């Protein structure tokens, strides 16, 4: 039995080292991808419930290797987080998104909010606030049109530090949204202390609205709470008319989902925006 145990252990370390090698290879490819400009942003419309018009877009990153298929963010964002590559990649994402928003503004489109996701590592990096300030200055996008999407997990550690960072961001004039709201195991206490503008109801609560009374209760409660706290509220992952009508009845402010528009490359969205808004 002892012998077997040792072999199992050896097998295990071998499997681990293969995984480690693959990760290292992927990390190297990702570093190269940043230099070679292989990342692109897709944009997904955010719909204003009252006017039924597009209020803004969320920037969603993809990796398009020259010689391969498009890679979704779930496959590479975690690795860029662990390696710290998210810091330069995140800056590229912010700059590209702000440039796009500025270009749409210059094209004469009505002002659109540009929502950009921040990762934990990025949020905790030392020069984050000055990076955001610099990108806004360089691109000429007025701060009020930038919305930063944060997650609850960012606030679990370093609570006081988080408040200071959020306040510094607010002072720049940007909007702050909590992404994936309701999934983060964090206390609700931060809602009254942090300068938050918007909650984004996670799509896991929206998906089964038609079938699951618990999800209906959770979604309705989040909307009611947001209204009570004078926060805006958006529902993610809206795919069906049924989901939409439930959310409408409860007074949700914004919607995002395949029912309205899938995330699309800039050229496609550009055309859609001009058709709709000009
Ligand atoms: P997220 O921020 O919650 O983004 C929403 C995700 O839901 C996107 O997946 C979007 O394509 C998808 N989605 C939108 N509408 C629907 C719908 O009606 N039904 C369904 N089933 N899905 C819908 P995507 O683009 O694959 O991004 C996945 C996650 O990767 C994002 O979740 C976000 O956490 C992360 N991510 C994406 N782009 C960035 C980025 O630029 N920076 C960082 N740090 N993370 C990003
Ligand atoms: Ca998001
Ligand atoms: Ca989300
Ligand atoms: Ca998510």
């Amino acid at each position: 039995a002892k012998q077997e145990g040792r072999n199992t252990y050896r097998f295990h370390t071998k499997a681990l080292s293969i995984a480690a090698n693959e990760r290292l290879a992927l990390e190297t490819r990702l570093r190269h991808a940043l230099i070679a400009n292989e990342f692109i942003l897709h944009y997904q419309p955010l719909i204003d419930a009252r006017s039924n018009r597009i209020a803004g877009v969320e920037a969603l990153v993809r990796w398009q290797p020259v010689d391969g298929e498009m890679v979704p963010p779930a496959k590479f964002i975690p690795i860029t987080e662990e390696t710290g590559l998210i810091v330069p990649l995140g800056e590229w994402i912010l700059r590209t998104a702000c440039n796009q928003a500025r270009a749409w503004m210059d094209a004469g489109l009505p002002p659109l909010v540009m929502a950009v996701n921040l990762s934990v590592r990025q949020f905790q990096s030392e020069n984050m606030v000055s990076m955001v300030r610099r990108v806004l200055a360089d691109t000429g996008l007025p701060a009020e049109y930038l919305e930063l999407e944060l997650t609850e997990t960012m606030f679990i550690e370093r609570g006081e530090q988080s408040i200071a960072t959020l306040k510094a961001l607010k002072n720049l004039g940007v909007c702050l949204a909590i992404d994936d709201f309701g999934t983060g195991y964090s206390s609700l206490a931060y809602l009254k202390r942090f300068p938050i503008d918007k909650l984004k109801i996670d799509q896991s609560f929206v998906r089964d609205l038609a079938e699951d009374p618990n999800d209906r209760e959770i979604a309705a409660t989040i909307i009611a709470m947001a209204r009570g706290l004078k926060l805006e509220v958006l529902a993610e992952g809206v795919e069906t008319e049924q989901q939409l009508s439930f959310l409408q009845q409860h007074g949700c402010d914004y919607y995002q989902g395949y029912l309205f528009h899938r995330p699309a490359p800039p050229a496609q969205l550009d055309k859609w925006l001009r058709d709709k808004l000009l």
Side-chain angles (χ1 to χ4, degrees), residues 179-180 202-203 236:
D179 204 359
D180 305 338
D202 189 64
Q203 44 185 278
E236 303 188 307

Side-chain angles (χ1 to χ4, degrees), residues 41 44 58-62 72-74 77 86 93 117-119 122 149 179-180 203 236-239 256-259 263:
L41 296 185
Q44 184 177 35
E58 178 177 0
L60 295 157
V61 69
R62 277 95 182 85
I77 289 285
I86 190 65
I93 289 167
N117 293 282
L118 285 189
S119 74
Q122 224 185 334
E149 298 197 359
D179 204 359
D180 305 338
Q203 44 185 278
E236 303 188 307
V238 181
E239 295 184 359
Q256 177 177 8
Y258 297 164
L259 181 63

Side-chain angles (χ1 to χ4, degrees), residues 131-163:
M131 185 276 284
V132 174
R133 184 191 300 114
R134 195 173 57 241
V135 169
L136 287 170
D138 291 350
T139 58
L141 182 70
E144 57 187 306
Y145 298 121
L146 176 63
E147 185 165 278
L148 297 174
E149 298 197 359
L150 315 161
T151 52
E152 293 161 294
T153 36
M154 292 181 182
F155 313 141
I156 292 174
E157 295 164 63
R158 306 204 260 172
E160 291 309 312
Q161 177 79 45
S162 299
I163 296 184

Side-chain angles (χ1 to χ4, degrees), residues 60-125:
L60 295 157
V61 69
R62 277 95 182 85
W63 177 19
Q64 177 62 75
V66 264
D67 50 357
E69 272 177 36
M70 184 138 72
V71 188
K75 290 254 172 70
F76 63 88
I77 289 285
I79 295 159
T80 64
E81 276 260 309
E82 285 164 41
T83 57
L85 195 63
I86 190 65
V87 175
L89 175 60
E91 179 167 350
W92 179 87
I93 289 167
L94 185 68
R95 191 172 289 278
T96 304
C98 290
N99 264 324
Q100 180 63 79
R102 180 70 222 196
W104 279 327
M105 209 175 232
D106 292 342
L109 293 170
L112 296 172
V113 165
M114 176 58 73
V116 178
N117 293 282
L118 285 189
S119 74
V120 180
R121 179 85 172 247
Q122 224 185 334
F123 182 73
Q124 292 173 348
S125 78

Side-chain angles (χ1 to χ4, degrees), residues 9-64:
Y9 171 75
R10 222 179 263 143
F11 174 75
H12 198 62
T13 46
K14 193 171 176 204
L16 279 179
S17 76
I18 289 169
N21 280 336
E22 276 175 5
R23 284 182 46 86
L24 195 64
L26 185 54
E27 189 188 329
T28 307
R29 286 180 62 207
L30 283 165
R31 280 187 196 287
H32 170 77
L34 190 57
I35 297 162
N37 242 314
E38 292 181 346
F39 293 103
I40 51 164
L41 296 185
H42 282 192
Y43 299 94
Q44 184 177 35
L46 313 173
I47 307 298
D48 184 321
R50 256 153 308 193
S51 63
N52 206 26
R53 289 170 73 102
I54 173 167
V57 296
E58 178 177 0
L60 295 157
V61 69
R62 277 95 182 85
W63 177 19
Q64 177 62 75

